[in-house]
Amino acid sequence: MNNSPIGIFDSGIGGLSVFSELFRIMPEENYLYFGDTKNLPYGDKSKDELIAFSKNIFDFFEYRNVKAVVMACNTTSAIAYNVLKEKYDFKIYPIVQSICKNIAQENYKKIGVFATHNTVENHAYRNELHKYNSDIEVFELACPDWVNIVENSLKYNLVSIGNIKLQLNKMLEFNPEKIILGCTHYPYLLDILKILASDDIFINPAEYFALHIYKDLQEADLLNTHQNFSPKFYVSSDPEQFKIPSEILQKINNNEKIIPIRITL
Ligand code: DGL
């Protein structure tokens, strides 16, 4: 069981920000990453669609005998996790529900959240933070263009920078102490965001999330400590379009190109 894979999924390259953090603290685990690029973006899909996509991906991972599935997607964690959580034997880690306890314990009074439409409309972050501290004021703001900006490497173009500035200014009017990047695509915009606002205001949930998963696997005695594996990548549409960011390639194989395997679910 310890050597069994850990499945990670998201709609596209966003969840690689979580994979990157997991790989940093547990490099010896056997990772399978699935990017559901055919159905991207998830941010405006219906609840039924998101449950169906997630179920297909869980089944794909179940068939590969995973010991755990990491829902490295805020949107499906917010919408599909509650429906699917009892249906599988492996561990399931949803990003939103796994990190809010730690953030709520920091005693912040005002927290901002950037996320997709679905995550914002469901108040996934506000509800989860309030479970641990109902005094926190939470302002959630959808940034529907940001996933496209990241997936298509458009972040340095002027229209994108204008869009990022506009959303950030709306957020800063709320005067938050911290801003959670509540969509796994958004940490890829951090280099721009940090020029426009103070450096330490942003929370990349991947850092809390990876630590939570590490501790939980350790407690359950499920860590792999014996064998080394190369991560495997799967997508649901054209593999050539799936561009693994160079900082991640650098970490895993010294910058060699990886073409993921295309899977039809
Ligand atoms: N990156 C995902 C999330 O964390 C989904 C983004 C999308 O496909 O809209 O919510």
Side-chain angles (χ1 to χ4, degrees), residues 9 47 50-52 54-55 58 71 73-88 92-98 122-125 127-128 131-132:
F9 78 96
K47 181 175 178 172
L50 290 170
I51 292 169
S54 304
K55 188 180 173 307
F58 275 68
M71 300 182 81
C73 170
N74 294 262
T75 309
T76 51
S77 299
I79 312 283
Y81 170 67
N82 277 340
V83 178
L84 297 176
K85 65 181 177 190
E86 310 293 354
K87 299 198 191 312
Y88 295 87
I92 301 174
Y93 298 109
I95 185 163
V96 181
Q97 294 85 338
S98 303
N122 274 275
H123 297 294
Y125 271 95
N127 294 343
E128 205 57 36
K131 279 188 191 165
Y132 306 101

Short mmCIF file of all heavy atoms in Angstrom, two decimals, residues 9 47 50-52 54-55 58 71 73-88 92-98 122-125 127-128 131-132:
data_model
loop_
_atom_site.label_atom_id
_atom_site.label_comp_id
_atom_site.label_asym_id
_atom_site.label_seq_id
_atom_site.Cartn_x
_atom_site.Cartn_y
_atom_site.Cartn_z
N PHE A 9 -5.58 15.67 -9.32
CA PHE A 9 -6.22 16.17 -10.55
C PHE A 9 -6.69 17.61 -10.44
O PHE A 9 -6.90 18.15 -9.36
CB PHE A 9 -7.38 15.26 -10.99
CG PHE A 9 -8.66 15.44 -10.20
CD1 PHE A 9 -9.67 16.27 -10.68
CD2 PHE A 9 -8.87 14.76 -9.02
CE1 PHE A 9 -10.87 16.42 -9.97
CE2 PHE A 9 -10.05 14.90 -8.31
CZ PHE A 9 -11.05 15.73 -8.79
N LYS A 47 -23.13 21.91 -11.48
CA LYS A 47 -22.82 20.98 -10.40
C LYS A 47 -22.79 19.53 -10.92
O LYS A 47 -21.87 18.77 -10.64
CB LYS A 47 -23.88 21.14 -9.30
CG LYS A 47 -23.65 20.24 -8.12
CD LYS A 47 -24.63 20.50 -6.99
CE LYS A 47 -24.31 19.49 -5.89
NZ LYS A 47 -24.97 19.63 -4.67
N LEU A 50 -19.68 18.83 -12.92
CA LEU A 50 -18.46 18.72 -12.08
C LEU A 50 -18.43 17.40 -11.31
O LEU A 50 -17.36 16.80 -11.14
CB LEU A 50 -18.38 19.91 -11.12
CG LEU A 50 -18.06 21.25 -11.80
CD1 LEU A 50 -18.25 22.40 -10.83
CD2 LEU A 50 -16.65 21.27 -12.37
N ILE A 51 -19.60 16.95 -10.87
CA ILE A 51 -19.65 15.65 -10.17
C ILE A 51 -19.29 14.53 -11.16
O ILE A 51 -18.50 13.63 -10.84
CB ILE A 51 -21.04 15.42 -9.54
CG1 ILE A 51 -21.24 16.41 -8.39
CG2 ILE A 51 -21.18 13.98 -9.04
CD1 ILE A 51 -22.66 16.48 -7.85
N ALA A 52 -19.84 14.61 -12.38
CA ALA A 52 -19.54 13.57 -13.38
C ALA A 52 -18.06 13.56 -13.75
O ALA A 52 -17.44 12.49 -13.80
CB ALA A 52 -20.41 13.79 -14.62
N SER A 54 -15.53 14.60 -11.96
CA SER A 54 -14.73 14.14 -10.81
C SER A 54 -14.88 12.63 -10.64
O SER A 54 -13.91 11.92 -10.37
CB SER A 54 -15.17 14.83 -9.51
OG SER A 54 -15.09 16.22 -9.65
N LYS A 55 -16.11 12.13 -10.80
CA LYS A 55 -16.35 10.69 -10.63
C LYS A 55 -15.53 9.88 -11.65
O LYS A 55 -14.90 8.87 -11.31
CB LYS A 55 -17.84 10.38 -10.77
CG LYS A 55 -18.16 8.97 -10.42
CD LYS A 55 -19.62 8.63 -10.53
CE LYS A 55 -19.82 7.12 -10.32
NZ LYS A 55 -18.98 6.28 -11.18
N PHE A 58 -11.96 9.91 -10.46
CA PHE A 58 -11.80 9.02 -9.30
C PHE A 58 -11.77 7.56 -9.76
O PHE A 58 -10.97 6.76 -9.26
CB PHE A 58 -12.97 9.22 -8.32
CG PHE A 58 -12.78 10.35 -7.36
CD1 PHE A 58 -12.79 11.66 -7.78
CD2 PHE A 58 -12.62 10.12 -6.00
CE1 PHE A 58 -12.62 12.72 -6.89
CE2 PHE A 58 -12.46 11.16 -5.11
CZ PHE A 58 -12.46 12.46 -5.54
N MET A 71 -7.56 16.32 -4.47
CA MET A 71 -8.40 17.20 -5.29
C MET A 71 -7.72 18.56 -5.34
O MET A 71 -8.01 19.46 -4.54
CB MET A 71 -9.81 17.30 -4.71
CG MET A 71 -10.53 15.95 -4.63
SD MET A 71 -12.21 16.08 -3.98
CE MET A 71 -13.11 16.61 -5.44
N CYS A 73 -8.06 20.99 -6.94
CA CYS A 73 -8.96 21.87 -7.67
C CYS A 73 -9.96 22.39 -6.65
O CYS A 73 -10.72 21.61 -6.05
CB CYS A 73 -9.66 21.08 -8.76
SG CYS A 73 -10.99 22.01 -9.52
N ASN A 74 -9.94 23.69 -6.44
CA ASN A 74 -10.85 24.29 -5.45
C ASN A 74 -12.31 24.10 -5.87
O ASN A 74 -13.18 23.86 -5.05
CB ASN A 74 -10.55 25.78 -5.34
CG ASN A 74 -9.17 26.04 -4.75
OD1 ASN A 74 -9.04 26.30 -3.56
ND2 ASN A 74 -8.14 25.98 -5.57
N THR A 75 -12.54 24.22 -7.18
CA THR A 75 -13.93 24.19 -7.68
C THR A 75 -14.59 22.83 -7.42
O THR A 75 -15.70 22.77 -6.89
CB THR A 75 -13.93 24.52 -9.19
OG1 THR A 75 -13.19 25.72 -9.39
CG2 THR A 75 -15.33 24.71 -9.71
N THR A 76 -13.90 21.74 -7.75
CA THR A 76 -14.51 20.42 -7.49
C THR A 76 -14.50 20.09 -6.00
O THR A 76 -15.40 19.39 -5.52
CB THR A 76 -13.81 19.30 -8.29
OG1 THR A 76 -12.41 19.38 -8.08
CG2 THR A 76 -14.13 19.38 -9.77
N SER A 77 -13.52 20.61 -5.27
CA SER A 77 -13.55 20.39 -3.81
C SER A 77 -14.82 21.04 -3.24
O SER A 77 -15.49 20.48 -2.38
CB SER A 77 -12.33 21.02 -3.13
OG SER A 77 -11.15 20.44 -3.60
N ALA A 78 -15.12 22.25 -3.76
CA ALA A 78 -16.29 22.99 -3.27
C ALA A 78 -17.60 22.31 -3.68
O ALA A 78 -18.56 22.29 -2.91
CB ALA A 78 -16.26 24.42 -3.81
N ILE A 79 -17.65 21.75 -4.87
CA ILE A 79 -18.93 21.28 -5.42
C ILE A 79 -19.11 19.76 -5.34
O ILE A 79 -20.20 19.27 -5.04
CB ILE A 79 -19.06 21.69 -6.92
CG1 ILE A 79 -18.71 23.16 -7.13
CG2 ILE A 79 -20.42 21.33 -7.51
CD1 ILE A 79 -19.74 24.17 -6.74
N ALA A 80 -18.06 18.99 -5.63
CA ALA A 80 -18.25 17.54 -5.80
C ALA A 80 -17.77 16.69 -4.62
O ALA A 80 -18.19 15.55 -4.47
CB ALA A 80 -17.51 17.09 -7.07
N TYR A 81 -16.92 17.24 -3.78
CA TYR A 81 -16.32 16.42 -2.71
C TYR A 81 -17.38 15.78 -1.81
O TYR A 81 -17.35 14.58 -1.56
CB TYR A 81 -15.36 17.27 -1.88
CG TYR A 81 -14.88 16.59 -0.62
CD1 TYR A 81 -14.07 15.46 -0.68
CD2 TYR A 81 -15.26 17.05 0.65
CE1 TYR A 81 -13.64 14.81 0.47
CE2 TYR A 81 -14.84 16.42 1.80
CZ TYR A 81 -14.03 15.30 1.71
OH TYR A 81 -13.61 14.66 2.85
N ASN A 82 -18.35 16.58 -1.35
CA ASN A 82 -19.34 16.04 -0.42
C ASN A 82 -20.15 14.90 -1.01
O ASN A 82 -20.58 14.00 -0.30
CB ASN A 82 -20.30 17.15 0.04
CG ASN A 82 -19.68 17.94 1.17
OD1 ASN A 82 -18.76 17.45 1.84
ND2 ASN A 82 -20.15 19.16 1.38
N VAL A 83 -20.34 14.95 -2.32
CA VAL A 83 -21.15 13.91 -2.97
C VAL A 83 -20.33 12.62 -3.12
O VAL A 83 -20.87 11.51 -3.02
CB VAL A 83 -21.61 14.41 -4.36
CG1 VAL A 83 -22.42 13.36 -5.10
CG2 VAL A 83 -22.38 15.71 -4.22
N LEU A 84 -19.03 12.75 -3.36
CA LEU A 84 -18.22 11.57 -3.71
C LEU A 84 -17.43 10.99 -2.54
O LEU A 84 -16.92 9.87 -2.63
CB LEU A 84 -17.24 11.93 -4.84
CG LEU A 84 -17.90 12.35 -6.17
CD1 LEU A 84 -16.83 12.78 -7.16
CD2 LEU A 84 -18.71 11.20 -6.75
N LYS A 85 -17.35 11.72 -1.45
CA LYS A 85 -16.36 11.35 -0.41
C LYS A 85 -16.58 9.97 0.20
O LYS A 85 -15.62 9.32 0.62
CB LYS A 85 -16.29 12.42 0.68
CG LYS A 85 -17.55 12.59 1.49
CD LYS A 85 -17.36 13.68 2.52
CE LYS A 85 -18.64 13.89 3.27
NZ LYS A 85 -18.65 15.05 4.13
N GLU A 86 -17.82 9.49 0.26
CA GLU A 86 -18.07 8.18 0.90
C GLU A 86 -17.95 7.03 -0.09
O GLU A 86 -18.06 5.87 0.30
CB GLU A 86 -19.49 8.14 1.50
CG GLU A 86 -19.88 9.29 2.39
CD GLU A 86 -19.09 9.34 3.69
OE1 GLU A 86 -18.31 8.42 3.96
OE2 GLU A 86 -19.24 10.35 4.42
N LYS A 87 -17.76 7.31 -1.36
CA LYS A 87 -17.91 6.26 -2.37
C LYS A 87 -16.63 5.49 -2.70
O LYS A 87 -16.65 4.56 -3.49
CB LYS A 87 -18.47 6.87 -3.67
CG LYS A 87 -19.84 7.51 -3.52
CD LYS A 87 -20.50 7.66 -4.88
CE LYS A 87 -21.75 8.52 -4.88
NZ LYS A 87 -22.74 8.25 -3.88
N TYR A 88 -15.52 5.89 -2.10
CA TYR A 88 -14.24 5.24 -2.47
C TYR A 88 -13.47 4.81 -1.22
O TYR A 88 -13.66 5.38 -0.14
CB TYR A 88 -13.39 6.22 -3.30
CG TYR A 88 -14.04 6.55 -4.62
CD1 TYR A 88 -14.97 7.59 -4.72
CD2 TYR A 88 -13.76 5.79 -5.76
CE1 TYR A 88 -15.59 7.86 -5.93
CE2 TYR A 88 -14.39 6.06 -6.97
CZ TYR A 88 -15.30 7.10 -7.04
OH TYR A 88 -15.94 7.37 -8.23
N ILE A 92 -9.18 10.74 0.44
CA ILE A 92 -9.46 11.85 -0.49
C ILE A 92 -9.13 13.16 0.22
O ILE A 92 -9.59 13.40 1.34
CB ILE A 92 -10.95 11.85 -0.91
CG1 ILE A 92 -11.31 10.52 -1.57
CG2 ILE A 92 -11.23 13.02 -1.86
CD1 ILE A 92 -12.79 10.37 -1.89
N TYR A 93 -8.31 13.98 -0.44
CA TYR A 93 -7.93 15.26 0.14
C TYR A 93 -8.48 16.41 -0.72
O TYR A 93 -7.96 16.68 -1.80
CB TYR A 93 -6.41 15.39 0.21
CG TYR A 93 -5.75 14.35 1.09
CD1 TYR A 93 -4.99 13.33 0.53
CD2 TYR A 93 -5.89 14.40 2.48
CE1 TYR A 93 -4.38 12.38 1.33
CE2 TYR A 93 -5.27 13.44 3.28
CZ TYR A 93 -4.53 12.44 2.70
OH TYR A 93 -3.92 11.50 3.49
N PRO A 94 -9.53 17.10 -0.24
CA PRO A 94 -10.05 18.26 -0.98
C PRO A 94 -9.32 19.52 -0.52
O PRO A 94 -9.14 19.73 0.69
CB PRO A 94 -11.52 18.30 -0.54
CG PRO A 94 -11.50 17.72 0.84
CD PRO A 94 -10.33 16.80 0.97
N ILE A 95 -8.89 20.35 -1.44
CA ILE A 95 -8.01 21.47 -1.07
C ILE A 95 -8.68 22.45 -0.11
O ILE A 95 -8.10 22.80 0.93
CB ILE A 95 -7.41 22.17 -2.33
CG1 ILE A 95 -6.41 23.26 -1.93
CG2 ILE A 95 -8.46 22.73 -3.27
CD1 ILE A 95 -5.50 23.70 -3.07
N VAL A 96 -9.90 22.89 -0.39
CA VAL A 96 -10.52 23.94 0.44
C VAL A 96 -10.68 23.45 1.89
O VAL A 96 -10.25 24.11 2.85
CB VAL A 96 -11.91 24.36 -0.12
CG1 VAL A 96 -12.53 25.45 0.74
CG2 VAL A 96 -11.80 24.80 -1.57
N GLN A 97 -11.27 22.26 2.03
CA GLN A 97 -11.56 21.74 3.36
C GLN A 97 -10.30 21.37 4.13
O GLN A 97 -10.33 21.27 5.36
CB GLN A 97 -12.47 20.50 3.24
CG GLN A 97 -13.86 20.78 2.69
CD GLN A 97 -13.91 20.78 1.16
OE1 GLN A 97 -12.91 20.96 0.47
NE2 GLN A 97 -15.11 20.59 0.61
N SER A 98 -9.20 21.13 3.41
CA SER A 98 -7.97 20.70 4.10
C SER A 98 -7.14 21.85 4.66
O SER A 98 -6.28 21.63 5.50
CB SER A 98 -7.07 19.90 3.14
OG SER A 98 -7.77 18.81 2.61
N ASN A 122 -20.59 29.44 -4.24
CA ASN A 122 -20.87 28.49 -3.16
C ASN A 122 -20.35 28.94 -1.81
O ASN A 122 -20.52 28.23 -0.82
CB ASN A 122 -20.26 27.14 -3.50
CG ASN A 122 -21.20 26.33 -4.35
OD1 ASN A 122 -22.07 25.66 -3.84
ND2 ASN A 122 -21.05 26.48 -5.66
N HIS A 123 -19.67 30.07 -1.78
CA HIS A 123 -19.04 30.57 -0.54
C HIS A 123 -18.24 29.47 0.14
O HIS A 123 -18.27 29.32 1.38
CB HIS A 123 -20.10 31.13 0.41
CG HIS A 123 -20.81 32.32 -0.16
ND1 HIS A 123 -20.18 33.52 -0.41
CD2 HIS A 123 -22.08 32.48 -0.58
CE1 HIS A 123 -21.03 34.37 -0.94
NE2 HIS A 123 -22.20 33.77 -1.07
N ALA A 124 -17.54 28.71 -0.68
CA ALA A 124 -16.80 27.56 -0.15
C ALA A 124 -15.79 27.99 0.91
O ALA A 124 -15.69 27.38 1.98
CB ALA A 124 -16.09 26.83 -1.29
N TYR A 125 -15.04 29.06 0.62
CA TYR A 125 -14.03 29.51 1.59
C TYR A 125 -14.66 30.15 2.82
O TYR A 125 -14.27 29.85 3.95
CB TYR A 125 -13.01 30.45 0.92
CG TYR A 125 -11.86 29.67 0.33
CD1 TYR A 125 -11.85 29.28 -1.00
CD2 TYR A 125 -10.80 29.25 1.14
CE1 TYR A 125 -10.80 28.52 -1.52
CE2 TYR A 125 -9.76 28.50 0.64
CZ TYR A 125 -9.77 28.14 -0.69
OH TYR A 125 -8.73 27.38 -1.19
N ASN A 127 -17.62 29.67 4.15
CA ASN A 127 -18.26 28.67 5.01
C ASN A 127 -17.23 27.82 5.76
O ASN A 127 -17.40 27.52 6.94
CB ASN A 127 -19.16 27.75 4.17
CG ASN A 127 -20.34 28.52 3.59
OD1 ASN A 127 -20.65 29.63 4.05
ND2 ASN A 127 -20.98 27.95 2.58
N GLU A 128 -16.18 27.47 5.08
CA GLU A 128 -15.17 26.60 5.69
C GLU A 128 -14.38 27.36 6.76
O GLU A 128 -14.14 26.84 7.85
CB GLU A 128 -14.27 26.07 4.58
CG GLU A 128 -13.59 24.76 4.87
CD GLU A 128 -14.50 23.60 5.21
OE1 GLU A 128 -15.61 23.48 4.64
OE2 GLU A 128 -14.10 22.80 6.07
N LYS A 131 -16.33 27.77 9.99
CA LYS A 131 -16.43 26.58 10.87
C LYS A 131 -15.46 26.69 12.03
O LYS A 131 -15.68 26.15 13.10
CB LYS A 131 -16.07 25.31 10.08
CG LYS A 131 -17.17 24.76 9.23
CD LYS A 131 -16.74 23.41 8.68
CE LYS A 131 -17.73 22.97 7.63
NZ LYS A 131 -17.19 21.87 6.82
N TYR A 132 -14.34 27.37 11.79
CA TYR A 132 -13.28 27.45 12.81
C TYR A 132 -13.21 28.81 13.49
O TYR A 132 -12.72 28.92 14.60
CB TYR A 132 -11.92 27.12 12.18
CG TYR A 132 -11.94 25.79 11.47
CD1 TYR A 132 -12.06 25.72 10.09
CD2 TYR A 132 -11.92 24.61 12.20
CE1 TYR A 132 -12.13 24.50 9.44
CE2 TYR A 132 -11.98 23.38 11.57
CZ TYR A 132 -12.09 23.33 10.18
OH TYR A 132 -12.17 22.13 9.54
#
